[in-house]
Amino acid sequence: HELEAAVWINTKIQAALYYACIEHGVYMEGCLLKSNVVNPGKKCPKPYTLAEIADANIAVLRRTLPSAIRSANFLSGGQKLSDAAARLSAMNKVKGNLPVNLSFSWSAALQMPLFELCRGKGELVLDEMSKLYVEELRIASAAALGKHEPKAGEGDHVPPQ
């Protein structure tokens, strides 16, 4: 699916979610959104820039997120840390006056590189793992502040070959 389709379906789903929450008396000020990043499908043949993906995510939030919800924490959803961080940082840079904290909930994106570091070694390499984890957290923290500067192409959607 293309990015435009992802925007449409995410807008419909989030609007229905918030409507149901309000209808059931959920205390919205006590909620936070833990959602996917709005992305084109992995097999989408159309390329998208980091800026287009960030704008799409902010558009969905502007259209649906109740002002009582003050934090949106994005799941990595199978994205590599480099792409997830690039996209979150870009969203934070373009959110303007959107009154919500944009952050992350990336257990998989942070843990998978640590697992890969240990693959085939037969033991935990704690010193290497610690250094990598601290570096990953530095990247994630900077992205949550809109201060992560991705490398060229990180966060873009590149169609599969």
Side-chain angles (χ1 to χ4, degrees), residues 94-155:
V94 300
K95 76 176 187 176
N97 64 355
L98 185 66
V100 63
N101 175 63
L102 301 180
S103 194
F104 61 90
S105 181
W106 295 339
S107 59
L110 295 171
Q111 291 170 352
M112 295 313 288
L114 298 172
F115 296 148
E116 285 301 315
L117 187 63
C118 295
R119 185 183 302 275
K121 296 189 177 169
E123 64 182 351
L124 294 176
V125 286
L126 294 178
D127 287 340
E128 292 175 59
M129 291 173 72
S130 295
K131 289 176 187 171
L132 177 58
Y133 194 52
V134 167
E135 177 60 19
E136 290 175 336
L137 292 175
R138 186 193 62 72
I139 290 167
S141 176
L145 297 171
K147 295 180 178 181
H148 173 64
E149 294 300 330
K151 296 176 184 166
E154 287 180 342

Side-chain angles (χ1 to χ4, degrees), residues 25-144:
V26 172
Y27 179 66
M28 300 305 282
E29 289 83 352
C31 294
L32 60 86
L33 173 65
K34 196 168 175 183
S35 181
N36 60 292
V37 174
V38 178
N39 285 315
K42 290 183 179 185
K43 295 180 182 178
C44 177
K46 184 176 176 183
Y48 290 95
T49 66
L50 172 60
E52 290 171 318
I53 293 169
D55 288 341
N57 279 273
I58 297 303
V60 169
L61 292 174
R62 286 192 185 282
R63 292 172 188 166
T64 62
L65 190 68
S67 60
I69 296 179
R70 307 306 291 175
S71 186
N73 299 334
F74 292 95
L75 301 164
S76 57
Q79 300 175 96
K80 296 180 296 185
L81 178 62
S82 57
D83 287 332
R87 291 170 180 166
L88 177 60
S89 191
M91 284 184 249
N92 272 302
K93 289 175 184 175
V94 300
K95 76 176 187 176
N97 64 355
L98 185 66
V100 63
N101 175 63
L102 301 180
S103 194
F104 61 90
S105 181
W106 295 339
S107 59
L110 295 171
Q111 291 170 352
M112 295 313 288
L114 298 172
F115 296 148
E116 285 301 315
L117 187 63
C118 295
R119 185 183 302 275
K121 296 189 177 169
E123 64 182 351
L124 294 176
V125 286
L126 294 178
D127 287 340
E128 292 175 59
M129 291 173 72
S130 295
K131 289 176 187 171
L132 177 58
Y133 194 52
V134 167
E135 177 60 19
E136 290 175 336
L137 292 175
R138 186 193 62 72
I139 290 167
S141 176

